[in-house]
Each structure stands twice: as C-alpha cells, then as structure tokens.
Amino acid sequence: MGDFDVLVRGGLVVGPTHVVPADLAIADGLIVEIGPEIEGSAAAEIDATGLHVFPGCVDPHVHLNDPGTDWEGFSSGTEAFALGGGTCLFDMPLNASPPTVDGPSFDLKVAAAREQAHTDFCLWGGLVPGDVDRLDELAERGVIGFKAFMCDTGVDEFPAADDLTLYEGMARAARLGLPVAVHAESDAITMGLTERARREGRTSVRDYLETRPPFVETEAVARAILLAEETGCALHVVHVSTAAAAVLVAEARSRGVDVSCETCPQYLLLTDEDAERIGALAKCSPAIRPRAGAEALWGEVGAGRIPMLACDHSPAPPELKQGDDAFSWWGGISGLQTLRGTLLAVAQERGLTLPEVAGLTAGAAAERFALPRKGRLEVGFDADLALVDLGHEGIVERADLRYRYPQSPFVGMSTRGRVVRTLLRGDAVIEDGRLVPNATFGRIVRPEM
Ligand SMILES: [Zn+2]
C-alpha cells in the first residue's frame, strides 16, 4: 500500500491553459495532486515519460443503439471510444428500442449500459410530441437534458418536435433546470426538396446534398433561439455545419440567451467532393458542405465560437448503406474512436494548442452540461485520463476500428497520437492500446443541479 492508488510519473500534463511536465497522483478515483516529482508511493506507478496526459474525451453526442438493436451497443461503442482516449459520452435517446422518452425506457437503457459500458455515460432524454410530463420523469432519473429534432428523424418511434412541442417542452425544461438540444434543420424545406428529388428520380449524393442547403440550418437555429429566448430555456444546437449558424448562436449569447453549439469532425474534415467520392459512409444530416463552408466553420472553431466537438457517432449495419439511391441509405457517420486523433492531426496547421484540443474534446462539454468533476485535469476532478504518444502519426486504418461494423468515412485520413492507456476514475480501461479484460465499470453521470 502507498500514499496513493496510482502515480502517473513524468508525463506532460495537458491542463486547461498550459502543458506542464508533472506527476499526477490519484486516490479514490480522484486527482489529488499534480506537480513535479510528487513525494510518496502508490499501489501502482505508471511511467508516462514521453507521453502527454490528456483529460479523457467527453463527447456530448453519440448514438449507441442499446437496448433492443444489434447496431452497435455500449460494449463495442465504449471500447472504441476508450481506445480513442474517451471516458464519458452522452448517448442520444433515439435509435435504441424503445427510444428514451419516458421513465421506464430510461431505466431500460441504464440497465443495458451498466452491464456493458467501459466508460462513463450520460443519457439524453427525448423531447417528442405527446405528454410533456414525461420530461419530469426523465429529469427525476437524471437525464443530462432533452433532445428534439426539428426535422424528420427517419425513425417512426421518435417523431420530430413541431414548434408547439418545442415551445412547451422548452418551457418545461426551463422549469426543470435542464437544457434542450436541437437538431436544427427546417422540416418543411428538407421534406419538400426530398420529395421533389425522389419524384424526379434524382437520387445521387449530389442530389441528396442539394436537398439540405445551408440556409435550412440557419432558419431552424434562428427559430430555436427565439423559442429559447421566449421560454428562458438553455439551448444547445447539435452538429452545427455552417459558420452562419455558429454566428447566430454567438450573437444570441451576447444578448444574454443561454445557448451553445457543437460541431463534428465530418463538417470540418470532409467536403462535398469527399461525400460524393465516399458515398454511403459519409451520408449525414446536416449535409457535408463544400470546402469554403468547412473553412468558414474552422474559423468559428478558431475564434472560440464553437467550443466543443462531438462525433455524432451513428452507426448502422452495412446492408443499410447499400444501393444506388442516396436517399435510401442510412444517414449517420461512425467516428467515435477517431474524434481526438483526427483533430490532433490538423491542430498545428489550424493554430490550435493542445489545451485548446483538450477543451474542444473534453472541457467545454463537461462545463456546459455541468458534469461534476469531469473534463479537466485538476485536483479534485475524476482521474479520467488518456496517456497519448503524440510521436505517432499515421492514417486511420479500418483494421484498428473496434466498432461492431468497422466502417467509417475517416478511414484513410490522417490521425495523430496513439492512446497507450485510458484511465477511468483511476482504473485502467485501455492498456498497451488494448481493452483491459473485465474493464466494465462505466457509470451514469448526472448533471450537477
Ligand atoms: Zn445525432
């Protein structure tokens, strides 16, 4: 026995503002000391010489499809996440059966996750048309907030929230002290353009992209902000794909509206030409933008107006990604394992420091959603760490992906940093780049109210 449970020796600790060479001591799952050459002993010592110690990724937007489907699940999904340095993800309320829209479905999801999760997790509840009292049930049980779609979801059991549903749901969420997250695209315009394209037999990737032009996002973001302002609800806009939407969010925030946004690697790293070349694996909504749009979005990230990244991992079996009709493909991209690595690969050329990368992939989401003790390497925080060898530069290989269906549009793209170890509250989940057997101790994280 020693003074600590774990001592991480000699690493380069990526803090909120600086990278410092330091030891890091862990006791009872918490970081208890960070400093040079910490005195004392520990039950386990980890030599982190030459490695960077990052906070574990906190990803606010993931679809793991448990329970009731065999699409991904918490086991394979959280293994892939931990291999990418992840320690806490937020699971979305749709694409599991049943969807998480009331107390009983929440309980089923927690039970499924608890048996399988290799990382901590938060659960979004669904805001769908119907009895608004269900939000109370979900809040009582500890959802992180409520997710609503302003456009068709493609899933019958999880219908879009019409404006009245959104308004009344936001009013209730505001009373409950929880945020509402919106997928913001105009239903009327996307549906109309989609029906017209399909009727006319125009079903290529380009045709699909043209049914979801950038303004359908900004229109819906503006409407969601209006409702948030009216109800006093905290609003989070998921997967912002245009600089214009990020600017709307920033303007609203500057006049006092409680609103935030995230974007995803696919909107920064892929272009419409990639989408055409890659096909079904790069189909998502909002749609992938032309290069100029992605560049403008990088500008918003660089300016701090988009403070967090999410992968929006939304896998599907390969048979749903086949055929010539781009409209019939399942829309959703697999990116849970590659979030930070693909960002690190371009960080330098984009002028992002390592603390900024840590903020984009962990700190900002933890702070925005009031996760207790998550997202930063500081004394008193959970010892959720990724030990990363930044000397490793390569490309994303299909063979390395641990998803149930190892496919992704990021295969072949640059990645930087091999995650040597991932620790969850001080316990090893990943060692030598592999899942530790029986490392199934992920817990639900509830927001600090
Ligand atoms: Zn999503």
Side-chain angles (χ1 to χ4, degrees):
M1 295 303 290
D3 308 295
F4 309 108
D5 296 324
V6 183
L7 262 171
V8 181
R9 293 275 193 202
L12 294 157
V13 175
V14 182
T17 55
H18 291 86
V19 180
V20 289
D23 296 348
L24 189 150
I26 299 167
D28 297 326
L30 300 175
I31 300 169
V32 293
E33 195 175 339
I34 300 175
E37 293 168 34
I38 293 173
E39 283 182 31
S41 63
E45 288 216 5
I46 296 171
D47 179 8
T49 307
L51 302 178
H52 281 76
V53 185
F54 278 89
C57 297
V58 176
D59 190 321
H61 189 163
V62 174
H63 301 257
L64 289 183
N65 324 119
D66 251 335
T69 85
D70 59 359
W71 284 22
E72 178 75 272
F74 277 89
S75 181
S76 54
T78 56
E79 178 183 351
F81 186 46
L83 276 166
T87 50
C88 185
L89 56 77
F90 297 24
D91 189 54
M92 282 292 169
L94 70 169
N95 312 125
S97 184
T100 314
V101 294
D102 55 18
S105 56
F106 178 96
D107 296 340
L108 286 173
K109 184 169 277 188
V110 172
R114 206 174 259 152
E115 280 176 17
Q116 303 180 58
H118 308 296
T119 68
D120 284 347
F121 56 91
C122 304
L123 299 185
W124 287 101
L127 167 56
V128 293
D131 185 1
V132 78
D133 288 340
R134 292 179 300 186
L135 302 189
D136 297 35
E137 291 175 24
L138 290 162
E140 242 165 60
R141 283 167 167 81
V143 287
I144 201 72
F146 306 103
K147 168 76 179 289
F149 274 71
M150 298 175 75
C151 61
D152 183 51
T153 65
V155 178
D156 293 340
E157 315 82 73
F158 200 97
D162 55 89
D163 288 348
L164 181 59
T165 296
L166 200 53
Y167 170 72
E168 291 180 337
M170 281 192 185
R172 180 64 64 95
R175 282 211 293 283
L176 293 167
L178 287 170
V180 165
V182 289
H183 176 134
E185 286 189 288
S186 160
D187 194 45
I189 299 169
T190 54
M191 285 296 260
L193 291 175
T194 299
E195 275 163 26
R196 188 186 299 164
R198 298 195 84 165
R199 199 166 55 236
E200 293 170 0
R202 293 184 285 110
T203 59
S204 70
V205 170
R206 179 60 59 184
D207 296 323
Y208 171 74
L209 297 179
E210 285 173 358
T211 61
R212 307 190 94 95
F215 79 93
V216 304
E217 179 177 75
T218 41
E219 186 277 334
V221 169
R223 191 155 28 102
I225 287 172
L226 186 77
L227 296 175
E229 204 161 4
E230 190 65 27
T231 57
C233 178
L235 173 68
H236 179 67
V237 184
V238 299
H239 52 45
V240 157
S241 69
T242 60
V247 167
L248 283 178
V249 168
E251 283 171 357
R253 203 169 39 243
S254 72
R255 63 173 191 272
V257 185
D258 185 1
V259 53
S260 57
C261 66
E262 71 193 23
T263 189
C264 313
Q266 46 269 39
Y267 300 115
L268 295 166
L269 299 173
L270 300 177
T271 67
D272 56 343
E273 289 169 11
D274 296 319
E276 285 192 287
R277 175 176 54 79
I278 297 168
L281 294 185
K283 183 187 176 187
C284 56
S285 64
I288 303 288
R289 305 302 181 194
R291 182 170 301 281
E295 287 302 320
L297 201 60
W298 272 116
E300 297 304 305
V301 172
R305 283 188 290 267
I306 300 177
M308 71 186 90
L309 293 193
C311 64
D312 192 9
H313 182 71
S314 186
E319 54 270 26
L320 296 182
K321 292 278 194 186
Q322 283 167 1
D324 296 328
D325 177 358
F327 289 93
S328 72
W329 298 334
W330 174 258
I333 280 178
S334 290
L336 189 50
Q337 194 174 330
T338 54
L339 178 76
R340 188 179 274 157
T342 51
L343 181 63
L344 282 168
V346 297
Q348 208 161 16
E349 71 182 83
R350 294 293 174 181
L352 296 172
T353 64
L354 296 180
E356 285 168 339
V357 169
L360 283 162
T361 52
E367 191 176 333
R368 170 56 170 158
F369 298 106
L371 303 193
R373 304 181 310 279
K374 296 288 191 194
R376 289 212 299 266
L377 299 185
E378 272 181 26
V379 169
F381 276 60
D382 281 358
D384 295 347
L385 326 173
L387 273 56
V388 182
D389 173 9
L390 284 185
H392 184 274
E393 294 183 48
I395 61 167
V396 177
E397 305 266 9
R398 193 171 190 272
D400 293 334
L401 299 177
R402 285 291 170 272
Y403 312 136
R404 175 164 300 183
Y405 305 107
Q407 51 187 17
S408 167
F410 300 113
V411 167
M413 298 196 67
S414 297
T415 182
R416 181 172 179 214
R418 177 174 178 271
V419 177
V420 180
R421 284 174 192 264
T422 303
L423 302 187
L424 180 64
R425 288 176 272 104
D427 286 324
V429 175
I430 301 296
E431 259 175 15
D432 297 328
R434 272 193 297 276
L435 185 71
V436 173
N438 305 317
T440 308
F441 37 75
R443 287 186 200 154
I444 185 166
V445 178
R446 296 182 171 87
E448 206 156 49
M449 303 287 279

